[in-house]
Amino acid sequence: MNQKNTPLYDALIKHKNKKSISFHVPGHKNGMVFLKDSHSLFQSILDVDVTELSGLDDLHSPSEAIQEAEALLANYFQVKKSFFLVNGSTVGNLAMILATVTEGEEVLVQRNCHKSIMNGLSLVGAKPVFIAPEFDTDWQVAGGITIKSIQEAVKKHPRVKALIVTYPNYYGMVTNLKEIISYCHEHKIIVLVDEAHGAHFSRRKGLPMSATALGADVVVQSAHKTLPAMTMGSYLHYNSEMVDLDRIKIYLRMLQSSSPSYPIMASLDLARKYIATYEEKDLQYTLHFIFEFREKLNKIPSIKLLSYKDEGDPLKITIQSKTAITGFELQSKLEEYGIYTELADEFNVLFIFPLLKCGDFYPIEEVVYALKDGIEEEERISISSQGLTEGTCISTLEMTYKEQQQKAVEIVPLSEAKGRVCAESIIPYPPGIPLLLPGELIRNDNIKQIHHLLEAGSRFQGGENIKLQKIKVFDN
Ligand SMILES: Cc1ncc(COP(=O)(O)O)c(C=O)c1O
């Protein structure tokens, strides 16, 4: 197939050039009816923000331009079928779980997975078997799950239907997914991969292998995160002997809008062309640019530049301050210089670099200047691991999702929570691994850990109750 083609984008431009008169949705009528003050900013997008008109196909039943564009995507990733998603990896994760697992079935799940995975499991009424990820003490972040912990979980739960993994993690760390997939397939376990942060992964040297190339059954990617696609634009790839393709289609139709955005879909077509025609010389150029950026960062005395132990995503660049300031404060300092980064945690600040083409420019000097100028060489501290928690490696729920939906919730003091079933997620940062999840039994050691973390100044995601030494539990 000719990867230079962009069938959906071309169809959209052809329609735009007709300068047609709109008596159809959306209400802005190709931009003719819009608030005047904002018009000029939006006009070029409003021109192509149309609906399922003749020649523009239908995402939910594609037979023309969208079918061709999705076929090109599947061809590039060498999978049986690929889908465009207009509601992010969030909808892809929900659909892949609903299509694969039924109520009461056991599923191995990486404990620190994205909330869309947890929501999918809850919607289906699955029985999750959580596997805690490894914790990286240099980076102070959760990595991936190991083959050893998966083998241990399978021994304890031999009837598991599927494994759900996040690959790579937010910081670009990858696990040995090949070994994990071949072990799971030997045991007839379906492998579902949330590759939200790895849409640019491929089969070529210089970037980690994509889960699609490693044999995963279903893979979901946020094209908008690392490819030049519009926000919310994502892909779902199907390449399985064990998952029913029709069920994936049914759930995507059920969960996605019946009025999908054409600008987003066209950007997915263009992003596929971008990566499929991305040449070896472009990748070498980008990697060299990143190498130079890292060299410059390495020379700044107040900064520690982190490196992967083995392989990782070169587009992700993580730094820590060697001074007394936290990752959050370092991020704010950079914002004073107009530099906005992807995320910060207690220790780290994460930059995501783009896939440049030969000759493209990217303003790295501004970052180097801001870091040199903005951070005083003040008091140096060594990174402490005081927030680290010791999670149970393999765990299950005390109360099923269905039971949870039927129970009332109350807030009790932590001191009275032992033996109750938790009704909220307690996620301390660091390490970002849930300490308790809804439906889990609260043990004495959980309470002790929470007290310890509070004393150590750890932050909790959504933990308003926890700060007050209280916790949400289900009624007995
Ligand atoms: C690991 C992971 N999976 C899924 C998602 C959801 O992706 P999206 O924003 O494309 O819906 C995210 C979002 O940050 C994520 O980090």
Side-chain angles (χ1 to χ4, degrees):
M1 292 182 92
N2 187 349
Q3 290 292 341
K4 288 186 180 153
N5 290 347
T6 48
L8 180 57
Y9 172 75
D10 294 351
L12 207 49
I13 295 302
K14 196 168 157 196
H15 179 80
K16 172 183 167 302
N17 290 341
K18 284 181 190 163
K19 304 229 179 297
S20 61
I21 299 165
S22 168
F23 280 99
H24 55 76
V25 295
H28 61 67
K29 311 293 172 198
N30 302 333
M32 281 179 79
V33 181
F34 210 69
L35 280 178
K36 296 284 171 277
D37 291 352
S38 334
H39 191 256
S40 61
L41 177 66
F42 278 81
Q43 182 56 62
S44 56
I45 284 294
L46 299 179
D47 273 341
V48 289
D49 182 34
V50 286
T51 186
E52 287 84 358
L53 304 172
S54 304
L56 293 182
D57 211 357
D58 175 356
L59 178 69
H60 294 292
S61 185
S63 61
E64 304 169 292
I66 295 178
Q67 186 184 46
E68 259 183 75
E70 289 185 336
L72 280 161
L73 179 64
N75 174 261
Y76 171 66
F77 279 98
Q78 295 181 33
V79 294
K80 292 181 181 169
K81 180 88 185 93
S82 293
F83 298 88
F84 284 178
L85 308 176
V86 289
N87 188 21
S89 288
T90 298
V91 81
N93 284 342
L94 292 175
M96 89 177 165
I97 292 171
L98 286 159
T100 310
V101 185
T102 50
E103 189 176 345
E105 283 184 320
E106 284 186 316
V107 188
L108 302 181
V109 195
Q110 187 167 333
R111 193 172 172 84
N112 59 333
C113 62
H114 187 255
K115 59 187 171 206
S116 54
I117 299 283
M118 297 291 186
N119 291 338
L121 294 169
S122 165
L123 279 174
V124 90
K127 281 193 179 160
V129 175
F130 296 112
I131 302 180
E134 286 190 310
F135 184 76
D136 190 303
T137 46
D138 278 349
W139 291 56
Q140 293 282 309
V141 300
I145 49 177
T146 61
I147 178 81
K148 225 173 122 224
S149 58
I150 294 168
Q151 287 165 338
E152 199 186 317
V154 173
K155 259 191 213 140
K156 282 191 189 159
H157 300 270
R159 292 161 65 88
V160 290
K161 174 88 175 277
L163 164 75
I164 307 175
V165 281
T166 311
Y167 167 95
N169 74 354
Y170 220 132
Y171 298 84
M173 295 169 167
V174 293
T175 37
N176 189 347
L177 191 59
K178 191 171 182 198
E179 199 182 0
I180 291 174
I181 292 174
S182 77
Y183 172 81
C184 286
H185 283 173
E186 270 168 34
H187 290 77
K188 304 270 174 287
I189 298 168
I190 296 164
V191 182
L192 307 177
V193 181
D194 176 355
E195 201 174 51
H197 295 278
H200 58 301
F201 285 9
S202 64
R203 293 169 190 264
R204 58 179 132 205
K205 265 199 179 150
L207 290 170
M209 289 282 270
S210 165
T212 54
L214 297 172
D217 292 270
V218 185
V219 180
V220 173
Q221 301 173 326
S222 295
H224 68 94
K225 290 195 196 293
T226 49
L227 297 181
M230 281 177 71
T231 296
M232 292 172 91
S234 297
Y235 301 137
L236 183 147
H237 306 290
Y238 167 89
N239 210 20
S240 182
E241 302 292 332
M242 291 187 277
V243 179
D244 182 352
L245 179 60
D246 283 338
R247 285 179 65 82
I248 301 255
K249 289 183 184 168
I250 288 169
Y251 283 106
L252 285 178
R253 273 186 213 129
M254 201 183 281
L255 297 170
Q256 295 210 90
S257 169
S258 60
S259 310
S261 157
Y262 274 85
I264 292 179
M265 290 191 287
S267 84
L268 286 173
D269 197 19
L270 295 170
R272 185 269 316 147
K273 176 180 173 180
Y274 190 93
I275 187 70
T277 58
Y278 196 71
E279 291 182 36
E280 184 55 30
K281 63 177 192 313
D282 298 322
L283 181 60
Q284 289 316 318
Y285 178 81
T286 297
L287 293 178
H288 185 70
F289 219 112
I290 293 169
F291 175 79
E292 289 206 332
F293 186 29
R294 294 183 66 93
E295 287 278 290
K296 289 177 196 289
L297 292 174
N298 244 335
K299 288 189 187 130
I300 303 174
S302 51
I303 291 301
K304 178 179 174 191
L305 175 67
L306 300 183
S307 301
Y308 301 115
K309 286 205 178 74
D310 305 307
E311 205 194 4
D313 179 1
L315 298 190
K316 300 280 177 89
I317 297 157
T318 305
I319 60 169
Q320 292 177 343
S321 156
K322 282 189 197 162
T323 72
I325 67 172
T326 66
F328 300 111
E329 289 161 338
L330 180 54
Q331 185 183 46
S332 302
K333 289 251 181 208
L334 286 166
E335 287 176 6
E336 286 170 23
Y337 290 79
I339 294 158
Y340 284 76
T341 56
E342 172 61 16
L343 70 75
D345 62 33
E346 196 74 29
F347 301 99
N348 305 302
V349 173
L350 172 68
F351 297 80
I352 306 185
F353 207 80
L355 283 172
L356 300 175
K357 293 221 179 187
C358 257
D360 285 352
F361 168 75
Y362 217 71
I364 54 173
E365 287 298 344
E366 280 75 351
V367 178
V368 175
Y369 173 78
L371 289 170
K372 279 184 180 160
D373 189 59
I375 304 171
E376 311 271 307
E377 276 190 56
E378 55 194 38
E379 173 200 357
R380 301 215 174 161
I381 53 156
S382 61
I383 299 297
S384 110
S385 58
Q386 61 185 1
L388 177 62
T389 64
E390 291 291 332
T392 325
C393 184
I394 295 162
S395 55
T396 53
L397 295 183
E398 183 72 9
M399 188 182 277
T400 66
Y401 287 120
K402 205 168 197 175
E403 288 165 341
Q404 290 176 42
Q405 281 152 18
Q406 289 156 358
K407 291 272 184 187
V409 169
E410 62 172 323
I411 298 173
V412 298
L414 265 178
S415 53
E416 294 167 22
K418 185 184 156 200
R420 301 292 298 269
V421 176
C422 187
E424 63 181 330
S425 297
I426 307 293
I427 309 179
Y429 282 89
I433 304 168
L435 201 154
L436 279 166
L437 288 165
E440 287 187 328
L441 189 71
I442 303 173
R443 300 183 317 262
N444 209 16
D445 60 296
N446 299 137
I447 298 171
K448 272 194 197 155
Q449 271 181 333
I450 294 173
H451 280 306
H452 169 74
L453 288 162
L454 282 171
E455 275 163 30
S458 205
R459 295 172 196 228
F460 288 81
Q461 192 181 66
E464 316 78 39
N465 301 314
I466 285 298
K467 270 182 240 144
L468 304 172
Q469 313 245 351
K470 291 183 178 173
I471 189 165
K472 270 191 196 164
V473 296
F474 287 108
D475 273 358
N476 283 322

